């Protein structure tokens, strides 16, 4: 079957794509920026990648007319500085208008569980999107999920941050809200299972795991799986804004996403009974099993996708292509070079930089810079990296974005996503036996220039010693 996949670079999209290819489907992937998608790692003749921006209706003309089904996996909950409800409405309308002109018989939409009487703005928006998609001249099948558990999922990583960093938690009362989490493996089974099933056309189904738990029970259950003893005290006086700041500073989420998550976490997301599980013959994984499987994948370096890759600065909304050429005019640069005795080992160090491996010198200063970035509303240093030794263009790496990564060429180019009065690039490349390390900063006004001169003394020993350790 020829399938259109939207949200390809998101967590669910990246998890679903290899499963569809494995089943023999021809998949047309919609990406806003082709440079943020590693097409090579799939090595499939049945994969086609097209550049589409669903906010730009004219760009949808490249969608093939002969598709047979489409997955709608787009959401804008982490959008900064804009009304995400308006964005979601616009993208849904553009998608509907284009898809109903194709041969697609079925659209599959992954939304949120909306059974509570008092819905958050996020869940209200998800419900409105479902209504828009249902008005198209095709058959809609909607799957509604709550918390999705898997290595790299937002829910899993946020719980991981909380449980592993805080022995004692003073938490808001919404931790007593009930939810019905579901393993990512089961979500993918559902998404694949409903494809082409005419009996399921024009219907919606809640999907969840076998356990109904409060958020507090989930955190304590997570701690039990990890062999950690944790104490959680809930207080009634923590406002939504204070809760959002608490979540923002302790975890790797952005403040915008933290705010939307807090609003949603105050709403019960429990499934209404349906027979979809029996119809598709899916065995649901218990909560503790889902957590164990997620950690097994992490320990085996098998994380396929991470929600953190989607957390980025607004400058990346236009794509990373325009950032690949590092500017020279009007820029400050810190250029250093060193002779390399063992090229392969130095390349390995470059490809392992950041995350739990650190930055090879004065890690506490990098962590301090990440904390300062958090104070100013940035992504901070907690995003880490998906894999400890492999990295691809488009992925996040602490407070950097990978623009270019070619191991054979021995070149890695990073773009800073921290809050800065300007733009910054960091490049590593090895030519022959020489390692070149270049930091480039394009200042924005007077504050940008003052910023560069204020950090220059730190660059002198941080960058020089980092270079020495990579070359050693």
């Amino acid at each position: 079957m020829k399938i259109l996949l939207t949200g390809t670079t998101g967590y669910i999209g990246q998890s679903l794509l290899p499963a569809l290819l494995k089943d023999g489907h021809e998949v047309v992937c919609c990406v806003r920026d082709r440079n943020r998608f590693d097409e090579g790692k799939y090595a499939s003749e049945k994969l086609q990648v097209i550049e589409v921006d669903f906010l730009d209706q004219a760009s949808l003309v490249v969608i093939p007319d002969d598709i047979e089904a489409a997955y709608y996996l787009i959401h804008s909950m982490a959008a900064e500085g804009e009304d995400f409800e308006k964005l979601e409405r616009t993208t849904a309308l553009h998608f509907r208008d284009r898809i109903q002109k194709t041969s697609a018989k079925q659209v599959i939409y992954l939304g949120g569980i909306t059974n509570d009487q008092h819905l958050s703005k996020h869940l209200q928006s998800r419900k409105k999107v479902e209504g828009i998609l249902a008005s198209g001249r095709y058959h809609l099948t909607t799957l509604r999920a709550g918390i999705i558990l898997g290595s790299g999922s937002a829910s899993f990583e946020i719980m991981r941050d909380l449980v592993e960093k805080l022995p004692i938690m003073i938490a808001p009362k919404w931790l007593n809200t009930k939810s019905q989490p579901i393993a990512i493996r089961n979500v993918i089974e559902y998404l694949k299972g409903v494809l082409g099933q005419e009996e399921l056309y024009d219907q919606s189904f809640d999907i969840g795991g076998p356990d109904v738990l409060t958020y507090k029970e989930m955190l304590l259950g997570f701690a039990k799986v990890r062999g950690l003893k944790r104490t959680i005290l809930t207080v009634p006086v923590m406002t939504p804004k204070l809760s959002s700041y608490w979540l923002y500073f302790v975890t790797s989420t952005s403040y915008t996403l933290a705010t939307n998550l807090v609003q949603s976490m105050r709403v019960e997301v429990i499934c209404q009974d349906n027979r979809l599980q029996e119809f598709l013959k899916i065995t649901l994984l218990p909560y503790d099993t889902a957590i164990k499987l997620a950690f097994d994948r992490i320990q085996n370096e098998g994380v396929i996708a991470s929600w953190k890759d989607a957390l980025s600065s607004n400058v990346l909304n236009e794509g990373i292509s325009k950032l690949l050429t590092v500017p020279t005019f009007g820029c400050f640069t810190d250029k250093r070079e060193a002779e390399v005795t063992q090229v392969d080992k130095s390349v390995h160090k470059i490809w392992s930089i950041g995350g739990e491996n650190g930055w090879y010198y004065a890690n506490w200063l990098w962590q301090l810079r990440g904390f300062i970035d958090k104070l100013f509303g940035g992504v901070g240093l907690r995003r880490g990296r998906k894999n400890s030794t492999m990295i691809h263009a488009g992925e996040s790496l602490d407070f950097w974005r990978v623009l270019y990564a070619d191991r054979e060429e021995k070149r890695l180019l990073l773009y800073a996503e921290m809050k800065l009065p300007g733009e910054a690039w960091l490049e590593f490349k090895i030519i022959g036996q020489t390692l070149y390390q270049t930091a480039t900063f394009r200042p924005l006004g007077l504050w940008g220039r003052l910023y560069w001169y204020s950090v220059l003394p730190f660059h002198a020993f941080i960058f020089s010693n980092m270079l020495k350790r990579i070359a050693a």
Side-chain angles (χ1 to χ4, degrees):
M1 188 180 291
K2 190 168 185 177
I3 300 168
L4 185 79
L5 180 64
T6 66
T8 305
T9 56
Y11 176 70
I12 301 297
Q14 288 188 65
S15 301
L16 179 60
L17 174 56
L20 293 175
L21 292 172
K22 186 178 179 181
D23 286 350
H25 296 294
E26 183 181 352
V27 185
V28 181
C29 293
C30 297
V31 298
R32 198 181 331 186
D33 184 357
R34 197 167 190 145
N35 289 298
R36 288 183 66 177
F37 179 74
D38 184 18
E39 188 175 348
K41 72 179 180 181
Y42 298 100
S44 173
E45 294 180 354
K46 293 191 175 184
L47 175 64
Q48 179 185 351
V49 181
I50 57 176
E51 285 193 342
V52 176
D53 181 356
F54 283 94
L55 291 173
D56 177 12
Q57 194 166 15
S59 72
L60 275 63
V61 70
V62 299
I63 293 176
D65 290 329
D66 61 343
I67 59 170
E68 299 168 80
Y71 284 93
Y72 190 81
L73 304 176
I74 301 170
H75 71 82
S76 305
M77 193 166 71
E80 304 248 357
E82 294 185 77
D83 184 347
F84 74 86
E85 292 177 284
K86 182 180 178 181
L87 293 177
E88 293 196 334
R89 181 178 182 275
T90 301
T91 55
L93 286 169
H94 289 171
F95 173 88
R96 180 202 66 187
D97 292 347
R98 177 67 187 102
I99 298 305
Q100 65 186 5
K101 295 177 183 177
T102 70
S103 303
K105 292 182 179 179
Q106 182 188 28
V107 167
I108 299 168
Y109 169 53
L110 181 63
I113 295 175
T114 54
N115 299 326
D116 198 298
Q117 291 183 343
H118 306 287
L119 298 178
S120 65
K121 286 180 65 178
H122 162 60
L123 290 175
Q124 286 175 356
S125 179
R126 300 275 77 198
K127 194 171 184 178
K128 290 176 183 177
V129 166
E130 182 180 339
I132 292 170
L133 297 178
S135 65
R137 293 190 297 272
Y138 46 72
H139 300 286
L140 179 68
T141 302
T142 300
L143 300 176
R144 299 170 178 162
I147 286 183
I148 297 175
L149 302 170
S151 52
S153 75
S155 303
F156 175 86
E157 296 297 341
I158 288 172
M159 285 193 291
R160 182 184 180 188
D161 280 341
L162 291 172
V163 170
E164 297 195 353
K165 292 173 183 175
L166 302 175
I168 300 176
M169 297 181 219
I170 309 297
K173 62 181 180 182
W174 50 253
L175 249 66
N176 293 319
T177 304
K178 291 182 179 180
S179 182
Q180 196 165 347
I182 182 171
I184 181 62
R185 297 190 186 199
N186 289 147
V187 174
I188 300 304
E189 286 180 293
Y190 275 119
L191 287 169
K192 290 197 309 172
V194 300
L195 179 64
Q197 298 280 6
E198 294 185 10
E199 300 94 326
L200 308 178
Y201 285 178
D202 304 313
Q203 296 188 62
S204 60
F205 304 92
D206 293 347
I207 59 172
D211 304 309
V212 176
L213 304 166
T214 64
Y215 290 104
K216 181 177 180 178
E217 289 171 333
M218 281 190 272
L219 289 171
L220 292 175
F222 196 108
K224 184 178 179 180
V225 171
R226 297 293 288 149
L228 300 170
K229 186 176 181 180
R230 292 295 182 256
T231 300
I232 302 176
L233 304 174
T234 56
V235 294
V237 293
M238 194 175 287
T239 65
K241 189 170 185 178
L242 193 58
S243 298
S244 300
Y245 278 116
W246 175 74
L247 203 61
Y248 170 61
F249 278 106
V250 175
T251 72
S252 38
T253 184
S254 68
Y255 179 71
T256 301
L257 185 55
T259 301
N260 290 325
L261 285 172
V262 166
Q263 290 177 353
S264 295
M265 286 174 176
R266 299 167 62 162
V267 179
E268 283 198 348
V269 281
I270 301 174
C271 300
Q272 287 184 346
D273 187 38
N274 61 65
R275 297 287 177 260
L276 186 60
Q277 177 199 346
E278 297 174 11
F279 180 81
L280 298 178
K281 297 180 173 57
I282 291 174
T283 302
L284 296 176
L285 299 176
Y287 176 79
D288 57 348
T289 302
I291 299 299
K292 288 175 184 175
L293 288 172
F295 270 102
D296 287 344
R297 187 172 283 276
I298 291 170
Q299 290 166 359
N300 294 324
E301 298 279 14
V303 179
I304 296 174
S306 174
W307 71 288
K308 297 174 187 177
D309 290 342
L311 287 181
S312 62
S313 55
N314 287 337
V315 73
L316 292 181
N317 288 342
E318 298 179 14
I320 64 176
S321 303
K322 70 183 186 71
L323 302 171
L324 285 170
T325 302
V326 182
T328 54
F329 182 76
C331 295
F332 296 110
T333 57
D334 183 302
K335 296 183 178 180
R336 302 176 188 273
E337 60 182 76
E339 291 303 306
V340 176
T341 54
Q342 294 179 293
V343 172
D344 289 343
K345 287 190 176 181
S346 291
V347 170
H348 177 74
K349 289 178 184 177
I350 293 171
W351 251 249
S352 305
I353 202 166
E356 293 184 2
N357 299 321
W359 291 81
Y360 303 132
Y361 185 78
N363 276 322
W364 67 274
L365 280 175
W366 288 90
Q367 291 164 1
L368 177 61
R369 181 64 184 87
F371 177 73
I372 293 172
D373 190 51
K374 276 277 191 178
L375 289 178
F376 284 89
V379 295
L381 205 66
R382 292 199 181 103
R383 290 190 306 184
R385 51 181 295 158
K386 195 156 57 180
N387 186 291
S388 63
T389 57
M390 293 189 297
I391 197 155
H392 303 281
E395 293 181 349
S396 58
L397 197 166
D398 290 338
F399 45 48
W400 302 90
R401 177 70 56 174
V402 181
L403 297 182
Y404 187 84
D406 190 318
R407 194 155 187 156
E408 290 186 9
E409 191 181 330
K410 305 178 185 67
R411 180 178 177 234
L412 177 67
L413 178 63
L414 308 175
Y415 177 81
E417 292 194 274
M418 64 193 89
K419 294 290 184 180
L420 290 171
E423 296 178 278
W425 290 258
L426 180 61
E427 181 179 32
F428 302 92
K429 62 181 178 181
I430 298 176
I431 301 176
Q433 297 291 127
T434 305
L435 167 63
Y436 297 90
Q437 175 185 287
T438 306
T440 303
F441 182 69
R442 179 161 59 187
L444 181 63
L446 177 62
W447 285 111
R449 286 160 175 79
L450 290 174
Y451 171 82
W452 174 261
Y453 289 117
S454 69
V455 298
L456 204 56
F458 298 100
H459 286 178
F461 66 90
I462 291 177
F463 284 161
S464 61
N465 284 288
M466 181 171 68
L467 177 75
K468 290 176 184 176
R469 299 211 173 162
I470 293 173

